[in-house]
């Protein structure tokens, strides 16, 4: 199959009340693990690349890897830019073959975020690429954003309504208490805020920083309108644990394939678990 826009996947998820997993990739083994998991679960899947991933692997490598993975798969696969920060970069990704982009203007004042998102929308619409935007500040390390404060930085429901009305964006990432990276304590999600946002904006909601959020909280968020769930840290943890175990058990091993193979399997297992949790198994 060729790459599909995220919008198509989320529209079906919205109709049927589940969420699609968006998994971050940085190399071939991660791309393969994501697609293997989606195939095994017969689930649609979003493979996304961050600024860091593009810096590490290179834009052309990411696109080529994911295109091959999609061509060989029987389930719908989207390639999405995660936390795109500038107009030029977003356009470059569209030109190289991404089927979906995020323009993250969340650091900007509301009007500037709207203007930047609209600039991207104009181009993306013309070429059938879907757009995710962000409102509010999601906690944790997000490039150079480090957020300590809570409520002041959460998404304001009324601002979300205005934002969606003025941009017509396809999906919206919200700040409701999740954070990127590993949590120190248990995250507490602001469900009343999510419910309010969803009653004012009728588009799919995106949950970032979803690794480490308890399963019950994820289920509740999906019940209240989250349709795209971003997972990166859990994949990193599985990868490193897999590599470490193999090296610890076989200190003389020098074949990278025998080290990365089990790590890939460990990533596939956690991604399958997440897909089942999100309710998208069998929805391909
Ligand atoms: O949004 C955060 C993701 O986990 C990506 O992180 O920029 O280190 O690749 P990264
Ligand atoms: P985690 O690393 O916390 O799973 O967050 C991933 C994410 O939100 C990518 O945009
Ligand atoms: Zn994120």
């Amino acid at each position: 199959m060729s790459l599909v826009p995220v919008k198509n996947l989320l529209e079906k998820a919205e109709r049927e009340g589940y969420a699609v997993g968006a998994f971050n990739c940085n190399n071939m083994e991660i791309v393969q693990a994501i697609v293997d998991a989606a195939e095994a679960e017969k689930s649609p899947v979003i493979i996304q690349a961050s600024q860091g991933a593009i810096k590490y692997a290179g834009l052309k490598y990411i696109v080529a890897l994911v295109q091959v993975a999609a061509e060989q798969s029987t389930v719908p696969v989207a390639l999405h830019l995660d936390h795109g920060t500038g107009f030029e970069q977003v356009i470059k990704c569209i030109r190289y073959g991404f089927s979906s982009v995020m323009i993250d203007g969340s650091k900007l004042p509301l009007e500037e975020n709207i203007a930047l998102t609209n600039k991207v929308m104009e181009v993306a619409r013309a070429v059938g690429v879907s757009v995710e935007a962000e409102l509010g500040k999601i906690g944790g390390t997000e490039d150079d954003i480090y957020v300590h404060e809570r409520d002041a930085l959460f998404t304001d429901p009324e601002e979300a309504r205005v934002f969606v009305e003025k941009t017509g964006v396809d999906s919206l990432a919200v700040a409701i208490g999740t954070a990127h990276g590993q949590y120190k304590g248990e995250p507490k999600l602001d469900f009343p805020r999510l419910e309010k946002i969803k009653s004012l904006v009728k588009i799919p909601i995106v949950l970032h920083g979803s690794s480490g959020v308890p399963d019950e909280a994820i289920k509740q968020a999906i019940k209240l309108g989250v349709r795209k769930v971003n997972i990166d840290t859990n994949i990193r943890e599985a990868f490193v644990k897999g590599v470490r175990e193999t090296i610890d058990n076989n200190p003389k091993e020098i074949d990278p394939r025998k080290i990365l193979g089990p790590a890939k399997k460990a990533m596939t297992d956690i991604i399958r678990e997440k897909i089942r949790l999100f309710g998208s198994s069998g929805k391909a």
Side-chain angles (χ1 to χ4, degrees):
M1 272 194 200
S2 49
L3 292 168
V4 297
V6 167
K7 182 179 163 54
N8 302 14
L9 304 183
L10 302 192
E11 275 169 0
K12 184 172 188 287
E14 186 78 63
R15 283 195 303 275
E16 298 180 21
Y18 61 89
V20 182
F23 302 100
N24 284 72
C25 74
N26 290 283
N27 64 14
M28 183 188 76
E29 281 75 14
I30 303 177
V31 170
Q32 290 175 333
I34 297 168
V35 172
D36 286 354
E39 281 285 344
E41 292 298 326
K42 301 195 178 355
S43 167
V45 76
I46 300 162
I47 303 181
Q48 54 188 15
S50 68
Q51 308 287 326
I54 291 170
K55 239 180 260 164
Y56 172 75
L59 188 53
K60 281 191 173 180
Y61 268 102
I62 297 272
V63 173
L65 285 169
V66 178
Q67 271 173 350
V68 170
E71 272 161 27
Q72 292 183 357
S73 85
T74 61
V75 299
V77 177
L79 172 58
H80 177 75
L81 170 65
D82 188 29
H83 295 285
T85 45
F87 180 73
E88 284 77 13
Q89 187 206 29
V90 165
I91 301 308
K92 198 170 169 191
C93 286
I94 293 175
R95 179 163 176 258
Y96 276 79
F98 279 60
S99 59
S100 181
V101 291
M102 174 182 189
I103 178 69
D104 180 356
S106 62
K107 290 183 209 172
L108 302 171
L110 180 64
E111 286 307 322
E112 286 176 39
N113 190 355
I114 291 173
L116 176 62
T117 304
N118 273 331
K119 205 168 149 188
V120 169
M121 287 296 294
E122 209 176 314
V123 180
R125 275 272 173 276
V127 291
V129 164
S130 54
V131 180
E132 172 183 335
E134 179 176 323
L135 203 55
K137 303 236 173 16
I138 293 157
T141 42
E142 187 180 283
D143 296 325
D144 53 351
I145 300 175
Y146 195 86
V147 183
H148 299 284
E149 304 90 337
R150 247 178 94 90
D151 298 77
L153 300 167
F154 283 6
T155 308
D156 179 76
E158 181 52 26
E159 273 191 12
R161 188 190 64 76
V162 172
F163 185 88
V164 170
E165 201 178 280
K166 289 194 175 177
T167 58
V169 77
D170 299 302
S171 61
L172 185 69
V174 295
I176 55 163
T178 57
H180 291 108
Q182 289 180 318
Y183 288 95
K184 291 197 181 74
E186 191 182 297
K188 294 268 176 287
L189 273 59
D190 188 343
F191 292 119
R193 184 182 298 265
L194 173 59
E195 203 166 4
K196 181 81 184 152
I197 295 169
K198 189 66 183 179
S199 71
L200 296 173
V201 308
K202 303 295 178 198
I203 61 170
I205 302 294
V206 181
L207 194 66
H208 284 245
S210 306
S211 298
V213 176
D215 288 0
E216 282 315 307
I218 293 282
K219 279 190 198 161
Q220 180 64 5
I222 294 171
K223 218 169 163 185
L224 296 176
V226 164
R227 298 290 167 244
K228 174 174 178 277
V229 181
N230 287 9
I231 297 281
D232 186 358
T233 299
N234 283 153
I235 300 175
R236 297 178 181 202
E237 290 165 345
F239 185 98
V240 173
K241 186 165 176 271
V243 166
R244 203 167 266 147
E245 272 172 14
T246 307
I247 292 176
D248 286 350
N249 294 335
N250 311 279
K252 293 215 164 72
E253 183 58 68
I254 57 125
D255 184 342
R257 296 166 298 191
K258 294 195 174 135
I259 298 169
L260 295 180
K264 183 160 77 179
K265 168 79 173 59
M267 292 189 285
T268 303
D269 291 346
I270 182 69
I271 296 166
R272 287 190 68 173
E273 264 177 46
K274 295 293 170 184
I275 288 174
R276 287 197 287 267
L277 173 66
F278 305 158
S280 70
S281 297
K283 300 290 187 181

